[in-house]
């Protein structure tokens, strides 16, 4: 189902090439200041009109349909929509016969049959992350912590001076790159989360794996922790607030926030839609064919994801804190 | 909350040193064959009475309290308990003042105050995974796929011939090791999962992060995917069943199962409780002190986790398929 | 929270005098035929432009924002909005100081403080039943049974020839009337519902008590059953389909549908907003004052509720049958 | 599913003639005093060893399996079981072929087939209300209001001096009686509940219809409200606490508690199992036969239900207040 959360409840709707992408937020406390301007900064970070991002240019101005009166939330559900103004749908019809590698085309055709909206990825599109970012803006007002996510790797390179060249090279080849985002949440009080099943890690990872293209997530020392000894990974508590020496646990013990920054990293795959020729199976002819994705795509959509990752963290914490 | 799932609902209860650890299963279809013997094989894998596992030896024989009549499930909820017969609780009192590094002691004391049951880790104990394994046994009957999880790394080593020596060495130093588990689920039909928010990856990761000591999870090419090009990571569909050339997506596209094996890896930290001296903060004296964990602990609890990881996958798929 | 259902999930949003009233439907199967015309018949029954209903005249044409492509549902969430074109908001400001008897004004002011949207009843308005009726239209396609609800009493009279005169008389006095609706659902298969807690009666009553102004609900023999003997109320099964002699159970035994028509009655109070002078407490002056509700109101809103009651039944059964 | 609540979560399990009836409570705050003795008073009211109640005599001593340490809740889930010591299961086998009128036998046989546990009503038994009462004891500690439910009618008579004779007469005829319970909850703060869908009435009625044998529920003026005029049913607010002149709304406006006592009435049918001969359909022979229920049954189970109704109210309010 397209809903997450039991206290701050986020429901997404819309498709990439339908009239709108939208989000419905329930559990928003009355009296939060909320205007269209509040969304601009995070939405702009998602648009990221730089090299390596899609040439599709949408205004992405939110329309607040309900739940806000004279600049303040009323306590009723907040519905927000974004118009899809720049959709060009002629490119997608052939994917019904020849599903794109790395896309949901084939699996969705088995789940929803011919009724699935393939246009621009439909409900599976990365454009749905608009809804997450909008939810995140409200969530950050509820769980009023510091959120800082940033790209730490592009195409396997951690040196950011090399990224521009790598992206240019990939674009030239009609290819794409992935990346890794690190997110740090500061100011989280001790004891949020549940031992079973709603640990801080469980809820954040549940949300993060809703972002299209995520392949992995790790907290604190992450996968490296598995090759450390207990005496190396364990983290001495240093003071009465629970601060530890090195935060190898990424701010979570036993599923609960422990008073340190929450730190996690998310691996994004390279964009699936590439101009470079790829093989795929043609379900009509029964033969393997060569496919080229024209459309308008990000060469490295990971560039646009840090603010989406922040939104997921904020949605998680809004649920924990309410 | 201590419940997961909306169709196959798993609720865990109990504490490491209380009378029982238990699990309540709802949504179990009527007419499944279910006896105490069905649990033995998976429970034995969890006990893993080999070097590197705890000297605490429990019988772990399930008692089926309800929902089963004459060897078949009735459609009513199935409650299962396991007696805690070998609990020695004298070891834990001091952890209230001096929380163990890497444990939930401190965070739990802020969430539940002095009422938290610290004995043996209480409700935070790895012993709670008994409940998950029992749920997994029933889940595997509902989502009747093939589940195969195994350790692929111990202490950073992928060569299994080196593990015994590494564990011995760690034990000698009063230290502990972590590990990585890989899980493969075969026979999953195409189209399970939801695009938002209940993708296959989201639901599995939510459950997996409920296992104490998990630090990361990745699907298919995982973190490596972030350093691959689209043309490398993309996976050509090869036939009408959706089989792909290399399964780099780990069996999931757009959140939906794509007809290939579901493949994921889970990073486990080294056991937190170690005999080696560690620093911690004494909340009574306000000073940093040296702590030694006596108790009975696994030197490498990851040895016992593959069947727990399988259980999480099975619980996820039982929810998808019902 | 403003969401109901775990398989067919209905979320309402909007306010009486905001831009829209809307509903978000999740769990709608792909491939249902759905067009704006499908809503007309039920929406018209709700408008009921007859004596005794509000002079506010809205077009109530649904806009389908998402989840439908070329006349068929796609499997993605279906968002539907209705524009509020005829809102006159100048009438409501004074109710913040002097809450109307029988209304949510006072209780809402304590829950949402001054941020509550009082205009036209805001999110508490009977206009929100538009969202329920729209959800019901889709639910009836999923749970494709026969639904027939009708008024059986107005102002305590079961003889429908007297209703028009009674309503005229009440209007002349600036007063209002209540009514009773009976709903019959036919063609329900045996065994829907759950013994605990989601019995057929529990789920229907949960939904029905979401309609503003409901005071009671009863199934089959209802309150009369409490004065019958077992030998009178018990209902002999007559054939292999489970048909009973008199359906005193209203089609439900042990919480499960039993193969007979589901029959229940719902009591609606008289409209709270009346022109006749009433006392209320003025929270500013601290004195009891006389209040007259001008606005535009139904003299007997029960006239418009049968289709809303049907919608509730259909939403319940859509959840049971999916 | 057999679970209710999202903050104070109640899950029931067990069957009338299985080893136990039990309840699992989640969301119980840490630090509540809770001992076996706390349950005695409410459990005794449910046993009600007076004329008209079943000759089955169970001890009904709760066993607290988890979540309580040294007399206080720990914050972990609380599991409670009651042993079934006096089950006599030989009486029920024939009901598989000849379902009892008024019972779930037939509907359950279509839902769970031959796997349903018919013994003593199995999971559909009134004995499951033990679980509700136990949950209510804890709920009353969380939502610490005054709860007072009592029988106001037996067999249609409101004069309690006539009840004993009426029950004796019904028993002599091998017949049974129903009754009406009124419940008053005092001390409820203003503003609990939600406008949609979790109104105070919706949540209470959802729970109340989980009690076997309920046929109707009404709040405040109830069904009578439908025959009143607005000027009669409306209820002037009298003071700054929101107290009204006559509480015709039963303490709820717009789904929210309004500062007055919550008042509702519940109609219970007469016991279905009667010694008097009744017709039923024999699914083996295909003929209508005469059935006599031997077993041990309440002549008027409504006598035992006031404390169960209180428990439902308390569970509702525990969810609202947490």
């Amino acid at each position: 189902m397209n809903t997450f959360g039991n206290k701050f409840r986020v429901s997404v709707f819309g498709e990439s090439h339908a009239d709108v992408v939208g989000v419905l937020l329930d559990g928003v406390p009355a009296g939060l200041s909320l205007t269209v301007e509040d969304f601009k900064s995070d939405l702009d970070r998602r648009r990221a009109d730089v090299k390596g991002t899609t040439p599709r240019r949408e205004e992405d101005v939110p329309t607040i349909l309900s739940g806000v009166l004279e600049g303040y939330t009323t306590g009723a559900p907040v519905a927000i929509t974004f118009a899809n103004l720049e959709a060009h749908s002629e490119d997608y019809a052939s994917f019904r016969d020849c599903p794109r590698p790395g896309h949901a085309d084939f699996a969705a055709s088995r789940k929803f049959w011919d009724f699935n909206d393939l246009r621009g990825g439909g409900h599976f599109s990365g454009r749905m992350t608009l809804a997450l970012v909008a939810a995140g803006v409200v969530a950050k007002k509820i769980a009023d912590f510091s959120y800082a996510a940033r790209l730490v790797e592009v195409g396997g390179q951690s040196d950011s001076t090399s990224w521009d060249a790598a992206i240019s090279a990939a674009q030239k080849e009609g290819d794409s790159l992935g990346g890794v985002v690190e997110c740090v949440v500061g100011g989280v009080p001790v004891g949020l989360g549940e031992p079973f099943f709603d640990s801080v890690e469980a809820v954040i990872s549940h949300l993060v794996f809703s972002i299209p293209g995520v392949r992995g997530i790790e907290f604190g020392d992450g996968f490296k922790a598995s090759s450390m000894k207990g005496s190396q990974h364990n983290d001495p508590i240093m003071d009465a607030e629970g601060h530890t020496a090195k935060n190898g646990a990424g701010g979570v013990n036993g599923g609960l926030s422990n008073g340190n920054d929450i730190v996690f990293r998310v691996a994004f795959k390279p964009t699936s839609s590439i101009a470079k020729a790829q093989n795929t199976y043609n379900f009509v002819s029964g033969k393997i064919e060569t496919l080229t994705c024209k459309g308008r795509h990000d060469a490295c959509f990971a560039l646009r994801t840090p603010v989406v990752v922040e939104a997921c963290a904020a949605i998680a914490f809004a649920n924990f804190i309410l």
Side-chain angles (χ1 to χ4, degrees), chain A:
Chain A
M1 307 283 266
N2 299 275
T3 295
F4 190 85
N6 59 358
K7 291 174 188 161
F8 175 67
R9 198 173 280 169
V10 177
S11 302
V12 300
F13 58 94
E15 292 88 15
S16 180
H17 289 199
D19 290 342
V20 302
V21 161
V23 67
L24 179 59
L25 306 175
D26 202 358
V28 181
L32 290 182
S33 156
L34 191 68
T35 66
V36 166
E37 287 69 39
D38 292 333
F39 294 84
K40 188 170 189 324
S41 159
D42 275 6
L43 291 173
D44 283 353
R45 289 172 65 200
R46 183 187 164 281
R47 294 172 73 212
D49 306 333
V50 296
K51 179 187 300 189
T53 62
T54 175
R56 177 172 170 181
R57 288 286 168 268
E58 291 280 6
E59 289 287 328
D60 291 346
V61 177
T63 302
I64 301 177
L65 294 178
S66 68
V68 174
L69 182 63
E70 295 167 13
Y72 292 90
T73 57
T74 64
V78 177
I80 301 168
T81 54
F82 296 89
N84 294 321
L85 303 171
E86 297 294 322
H88 299 175
S89 297
E90 61 278 17
D91 302 318
Y92 295 90
S94 64
F95 302 147
R96 210 174 290 281
D97 297 342
C98 294
R100 289 164 292 177
H103 270 276
D105 299 348
F106 166 68
S109 76
R110 292 296 171 94
K111 188 176 186 74
F112 303 123
W113 305 102
D114 282 352
F115 303 104
N116 185 41
D117 183 354
L118 278 168
R119 302 169 306 162
H123 189 60
F124 292 83
S125 167
R127 185 154 172 77
M128 296 304 297
T129 58
L130 253 184
L132 293 179
V133 172
V137 168
V138 180
K140 288 172 179 177
K141 289 177 176 248
I142 296 170
D144 188 15
F145 310 145
S146 71
Y147 299 86
R150 62 191 179 92
L151 261 183
V152 293
E153 273 188 32
V154 168
Q157 305 299 321
S158 53
D159 173 5
S160 63
T161 63
S162 68
W163 297 350
D164 195 73
I167 291 168
S168 293
Q171 281 180 315
K172 197 170 297 178
E173 300 166 18
D175 215 330
S176 62
L177 296 178
V180 175
V181 169
E182 182 172 272
C183 184
V184 178
V185 187
V188 178
V190 180
L192 297 185
E194 298 289 334
F196 279 88
F197 289 88
D198 291 340
S199 70
V200 168
E201 301 107 317
V203 174
I204 289 177
S205 68
H206 191 139
L207 282 156
V208 163
F209 274 113
S210 301
I211 308 173
V214 171
R215 281 283 172 264
I217 186 169
E218 59 178 10
F219 288 78
D221 289 336
F223 272 83
K224 275 187 204 130
S226 65
S227 57
M228 296 165 82
K229 292 189 178 168
S231 58
Q232 296 170 308
H233 179 61
N234 274 355
D235 208 359
I237 300 174
M238 306 298 283
D239 63 26
E241 282 71 47
H243 293 118
T244 64
K246 54 199 177 63
N247 197 18
V252 193
N253 284 126
L256 312 182
S257 59
N258 68 10
N260 296 273
D261 286 352
I262 308 293
V263 182
F264 62 96
R265 272 169 306 283
V266 181
F268 287 92
K269 69 175 187 179
T271 309
S272 297
S273 296
I274 54 176
K276 204 168 182 173
Q278 314 170 73
N279 285 340
T280 191
Y281 186 79
N282 183 322
F283 281 74
V284 175
S285 71
K287 294 186 180 153
I288 292 181
E289 291 188 0
T290 297
L291 180 86
T292 303
C293 295
K294 281 158 197 159
R296 297 162 299 168
H297 305 287
D298 299 282
C300 177
F301 74 90
L303 294 170
R304 302 168 67 190
T305 59
V307 71
V308 186
V309 171
E310 282 181 16
C312 289
I315 294 167
F317 282 110
N319 273 287
F320 286 131
I321 206 152
L322 278 176

